[in-house]
Amino acid sequence: MGRGERDAVARGARLCEAAQAAMGDHGRAVEAVRAALRPIHDAAVQRELDAIPVARLQDVTEGRLRLGSVEKSGLRTVGGVLAAGPYRLRQIPGVGQRTVDQMLAAARRLSEAVHETVAVHIDVDRPEPGTTALVMALHVLVEAGPDARRAVDRAVGLSERLGPLLADARPAARRFRMLLVGQDKKARALAAVTEIRSLVDEAEQAGLPELIAQASVDLLREPSSDIAAWVDFELRSAEYYSLLAEISGRLPDTAAAEGFLPDEIAERVRAQHLDDAHRRVSLRGYQAFGARFALAQRKVILGDEMGLGKTIQAIAVLAHLAAEGQSHFMVVCPASVLVNWTREIEARSALRVMVLHGPDRQDAFADWKGRGGVGVTTFDALRGFPAPGGGDVGLLVVDEAHFVKNPQAKRSQAVAVWAERCGRTLFMTGTPMENRVMEFRELVRMLDDGVAESLGEGDALAGSVAFRKSVAPVYLRRNQEDVLTELPSLQQTDEWEELSASDEEAYREAVRAGNFMAMRRAAYMRPEKSAKLERLREIVQEAGENGQKTVVFSYFKDVLGVVEEALVAGTTDGTAVFGPLTGSVPAGRRQRIVDDFAGVPGPAVLLAQIQAAGVGLNMQAASVVVICEPQVKPTIEHQAVARAHRMGQVRPVRVHRLLATGGVDERMVRILEAKTRLFDAYARRSAVAEATPDAIDVSDTELARRIVEEEQARLGMTDGKPAATE
């Protein structure tokens, strides 16, 4: 046996040792998180049990327990019953051993359920020793990043393969031992040496020894301070919570994470491989499933609710296809999110990205066509580019795809041509059906004409369950409440204000003129006596005193101008005011305004036109949201709120909707509640929706006309003018 064989075994042993060391380092880092999490989770479970009334034990035992004497004894919660134990329970008059056994068994069942479902929320504003230890333990894994996770996964594979081979090759490690073993062991040892040499050569060519060594270094590196860990948590909370969910095993309900797809489709999606070689970000389980869905089904709509990381899922699909050898990709989006898309692709992947927009877009397009990469363009710019040949583009991504639901629009026609020519298409929208289910059919038609044709009036009449089943081959939607257990609370408050005499006068003038839009903003047109404006000032002042940032949304530019003037004139605590961010602000400038708003220390206010800022811009820096008036479409409000209350938000979000009593606001709220219920039934999961959407739908023009006529009649203005929408 020569030196070559011994060297091969030694190289294999060193690589195996390094792999096992990295696995051990990762295991210890994970165990540190579990150890820090355990007392926090146990305390959360106890708080939950202490809040459950003892009467709930009746539900668990189907009403068999008699608990009157237990409550009279002072045990009023399930937590109290468990803490009391069997001895104390038996001392309660009228409670026998059988009742004690049943009571404790029911309490333990509730405790187990709470233990499995309760989520740990990390309060960034009230750091305690326990949560600080947890954040610091998580920081190690977050800082090590996807490369460390990838290295550990490879290390596991190497260890599993090298371990048995090294055992078989042990005789070859020493010159004289080979003389003492039989022919079978000698042959096995020589075969093992050959395989070890091949494995080590392959690993070295792939750079695995360096990758594994770096992972160990990163996993052993501690944060410079607890302050550094907390700052990083606030910046990257989504990654911290993602790791926490994975390590704790408290993952979302599988059916919810998979969008309640039929079993046969879900099985096909689960079997789809997802390559992460060109990706620089870890995915949550539901995000990996979304990327696999797009790959397995080829042409799909990803309809996840706002804030669930649709962009990350699209990037995962792009990275996978690039690893398979695809070279050209196209992303189409509103101008307002061009900058966001380029940033995300550059930060989250190793893919080349090019902006195909502006006066030089044709030159940029030619460069993209020649060199490849991810082209990012707008709906309008896409119309000026030649459609690709079959197979030229690996994936077409269309962000905010509900913008192309009208088949008569030129932008819709351009997208339809590209979708037809591309083998894979990913439509992304959190609001695929703003009013009518049948509008959704037009989006589906661009992807799968057969599925679109199957969506007739009958599906709408049958309710949302039949509808979701029909669109399952092309449509996946998950909701925040189903998959993001760590989101801080969202508190929504309708702030009803009595119009001042001055407000009332302005409102009557708008009604008399039949001007619907003037009616909607009348409460701000005389700012010196505006009841809504006064309440808005109070909300902003309270937020500022608490060091919170506020975003103020309105449909109207002139309302934002009034608000800006009032806040700038009335601010005495140093609160900075940014904006207004409107549709006329260039896309790149919009992103800079949001960045500046997020970057300023302390309280700040961002003024934003709701239809401009409700698309694509992430405003997690804001924990207070003010909506100046009700919107014609409920989804406009949903989108705007979701810009702040989304994955990555670390503080509870308070939403204040400013409403005036007795006029247009009341009528809009009443009508739009029906619209919201319709949207929930069809765009979200529901088993009880039975009404056809067209029976409830109200178009913008029809809504304006109806409300103006009703208000003119209420105020005795039957000779008023017909409704005007501007």
Side-chain angles (χ1 to χ4, degrees), residues 392-614:
D392 288 352
V393 176
L395 177 70
L396 170 68
V397 178
V398 181
D399 193 11
E400 306 293 350
H402 51 276
F403 282 17
V404 296
K405 65 188 177 187
N406 178 7
Q408 305 306 317
K410 290 182 179 178
R411 72 170 108 184
S412 303
Q413 294 166 3
V415 168
V417 170
W418 275 72
E420 184 182 3
R421 300 284 184 86
C422 296
R424 297 180 186 274
T425 301
L426 173 58
F427 282 3
M428 294 165 43
T429 172
T431 55
M433 320 157 244
E434 293 184 76
N435 286 316
R436 301 167 185 257
V437 172
M438 288 305 104
E439 290 176 345
F440 181 53
R441 180 179 174 181
E442 299 305 325
L443 290 183
V444 175
R445 192 183 302 281
M446 295 187 202
L447 305 177
D448 191 318
D449 201 54
V451 173
E453 287 303 315
S454 72
L455 290 179
E457 294 292 335
D459 290 301
L461 289 167
S464 62
V465 174
F467 169 76
R468 291 292 294 273
K469 186 175 181 180
S470 297
V471 299
V474 299
Y475 177 60
L476 176 67
R477 180 180 176 87
R478 280 77 57 89
N479 297 320
Q480 283 189 355
E481 63 186 22
D482 291 328
V483 296
L484 286 189
T485 57
E486 82 281 2
L487 263 184
S489 62
L490 175 66
Q491 178 186 342
Q492 304 196 57
T493 304
D494 284 350
E495 304 272 359
W496 289 98
E497 305 296 328
E498 293 282 348
L499 290 177
S500 68
S502 180
D503 293 335
E504 184 71 36
E505 187 178 343
Y507 181 68
R508 282 177 171 271
E509 288 177 5
V511 173
R512 187 174 289 109
N515 190 326
F516 178 63
M517 292 303 196
M519 290 162 60
R520 291 181 62 199
R521 60 184 188 268
Y524 297 93
M525 291 303 97
R526 299 184 181 181
E528 65 282 353
K529 297 290 186 180
S530 169
K532 278 192 178 183
L533 194 57
E534 182 59 32
R535 179 60 186 137
L536 190 151
R537 282 197 201 97
E538 292 171 356
I539 293 168
V540 170
Q541 182 177 349
E542 180 185 343
E545 290 170 353
N546 290 309
Q548 296 171 306
K549 288 181 167 64
T550 303
V551 59
V552 178
F553 288 116
S554 176
Y555 183 87
F556 303 101
K557 290 183 182 179
D558 52 358
V559 169
L560 292 175
V562 169
V563 172
E564 180 182 22
E565 188 174 333
L567 292 180
V568 170
T571 297
T572 58
D573 60 357
T575 298
V577 180
F578 293 85
L581 198 161
T582 69
S584 60
V585 176
R589 175 66 182 145
R590 292 187 206 181
Q591 186 65 56
R592 286 196 296 277
I593 290 172
V594 174
D595 290 346
D596 291 344
F597 166 69
V600 68
V605 180
L606 173 65
L607 307 177
Q609 201 171 9
I610 197 165
Q611 64 272 41

Side-chain angles (χ1 to χ4, degrees), residues 334-390:
S336 60
V337 293
L338 275 173
V339 175
N340 190 60
W341 265 103
T342 55
R343 283 183 178 182
E344 289 292 294
I345 293 169
E346 288 171 346
R348 314 288 188 179
S349 77
L351 304 179
R352 178 175 181 264
V353 60
M354 292 191 64
V355 176
L356 312 181
H357 183 60
D360 298 326
R361 59 182 176 273
Q362 293 297 341
D363 291 340
F365 181 84
D367 185 38
W368 167 79
K369 194 169 182 181
R371 299 171 61 196
V374 184
V376 184
T377 192
T378 64
F379 292 106
D380 290 337
L382 184 72
R383 291 164 47 198
F385 301 144

Side-chain angles (χ1 to χ4, degrees), residues 144-168:
D147 283 345
R149 179 62 179 269
R150 194 176 295 120
V152 171
D153 288 343
R154 304 281 171 83
V156 170
L158 280 173
S159 178
E160 289 175 350
R161 295 176 67 184
L162 282 171
L165 291 173
L166 288 168
D168 286 344

Side-chain angles (χ1 to χ4, degrees), residues 260-274:
F260 304 96
L261 291 177
D263 290 342
E264 65 274 13
I265 295 178
E267 283 294 335
R268 181 161 63 251
V269 173
R270 290 185 209 116
Q272 169 68 49
H273 171 62
L274 185 61

Side-chain angles (χ1 to χ4, degrees), residues 23-71:
M23 291 160 56
D25 295 334
H26 183 262
R28 282 185 288 276
V30 168
E31 185 51 42
V33 172
R34 290 198 178 110
L37 173 64
R38 203 170 293 122
I40 301 173
H41 180 258
D42 290 346
V45 169
Q46 190 60 52
R47 284 194 299 272
E48 191 81 10
L49 292 172
D50 287 341
I52 300 174
V54 74
R56 282 285 303 280
L57 298 177
Q58 291 275 24
D59 301 336
V60 180
T61 60
E62 299 178 352
R64 292 194 302 270
L65 285 173
R66 299 291 178 265
L67 299 169
S69 56
V70 175
E71 291 183 273

